[in-house]
Amino acid sequence: MIGIEDILFLVIVFVSSVIQSITGFAGTVLAMPFSIMLVGYNTAKPILNVLGIVLSLGVIGLNHKSLNKKEFGKIIAIMLVGMVAGYYITTHFDLNPGLLYKVLGGIVLLFMSIGVFNTFSEKFRKKKKETNEKTSFLAYLVLVIAGVVHGMFVCGGPLLVVYASEKIKGRDEFRVTVSAVWAVLNSIILFSDVRAGLFVPKTSMLLIICIALLFGALWVGNILFRHINKKWFMIITYVLMGISGISLLVK
């Protein structure tokens, strides 16, 4: 039976999917904190993971020729190392839910800070461009950390964007390559979630409803994308991320 928490979860999925269709990365990291509080980690994680796969396959299907195969292979190889560590942490340690909330809250606030600097600081962007060749080790470290976060919470997207925005310049190439990464990595997580028995009847029912909502969210997102100022939309997105992160820290 669907309760009020489940209905609120479906609303969060719809809103975050609209945001994902416009920004290309913020959906899961925005939805995960609220979703965990509403329906729990073992329900939120597998559902949001599958939605990420569906979104990614849609993007790839529309423009698969733009895939940057070299960066795709590099990103997959490095992030897999981090994902193994993240998966090990969540499956081999009995994590206190309160601690889990606070860790995710801190990660969300970190992502928000990185996103604000990347999006709005002209000085930061110029400095990053000038030092791009000198920070390759740091860039790879970011990918490893993105893998750890993705293995634990399925929301390593913002850190991947930090790396990919430096290495992949074309808009279509960027979207398709990042989407291909999620299609592969999320499929691995899906396999582990199935093995762990997370798709109980209620979770499966919520997933079916969420997939239906996803197509509606894509339609709304495409309309908003043509009519809304992207800078202000990003500001709203980061404010929501900040609220979600703080709410987890004080929970």
Side-chain angles (χ1 to χ4, degrees), residues 56-220:
S56 298
L57 292 177
V59 173
I60 296 168
L62 290 173
N63 204 357
H64 63 278
K65 294 182 179 179
S66 297
L67 176 67
N68 185 322
K69 296 179 181 178
K70 179 180 178 182
E71 287 298 333
F72 169 73
K74 188 187 301 182
I75 292 169
I76 290 292
I78 297 174
M79 283 192 66
L80 273 175
V81 175
M83 276 185 60
V84 170
Y87 179 74
Y88 185 86
I89 291 171
T90 56
T91 55
H92 289 78
F93 292 92
D94 186 16
L95 298 177
N96 181 283
L99 175 62
L100 199 65
Y101 291 152
K102 287 178 172 53
V103 169
L104 180 56
I107 290 171
V108 170
L109 291 177
L110 174 63
F111 286 169
M112 180 198 70
S113 302
I114 293 172
V116 168
F117 274 109
N118 274 328
T119 304
F120 303 111
S121 175
E122 184 67 30
K123 182 178 179 181
F124 179 81
R125 289 199 298 270
K126 287 181 178 178
K127 184 177 180 181
K128 183 175 69 173
K129 185 176 181 180
E130 292 170 357
T131 59
N132 187 40
E133 296 301 324
K134 300 178 182 179
T135 57
S136 59
F137 175 77
L138 179 60
Y140 293 145
L141 180 60
V142 166
L143 280 184
V144 174
I145 298 173
V148 173
V149 174
H150 202 67
M152 293 180 69
F153 302 109
V154 204
C155 56
L159 282 177
L160 172 57
V161 168
V162 172
Y163 171 87
S165 61
E166 292 184 8
K167 303 296 182 181
I168 306 173
K169 301 303 179 184
R171 181 181 178 181
D172 289 338
E173 184 180 347
F174 177 89
R175 289 186 69 209
V176 173
T177 304
V178 170
S179 295
V181 169
W182 297 140
V184 173
L185 298 185
N186 286 25
S187 295
I188 295 172
I189 294 175
L190 173 60
F191 177 73
S192 66
D193 287 345
V194 171
R195 286 189 62 190
L198 296 184
F199 287 95
V200 296
K202 183 176 181 179
T203 299
S204 300
M205 179 180 64
L206 285 173
L207 174 59
I208 293 171
I209 299 173
C210 286
I211 291 176
L213 289 174
L214 180 62
F215 291 104
L218 289 173
W219 179 73
V220 173

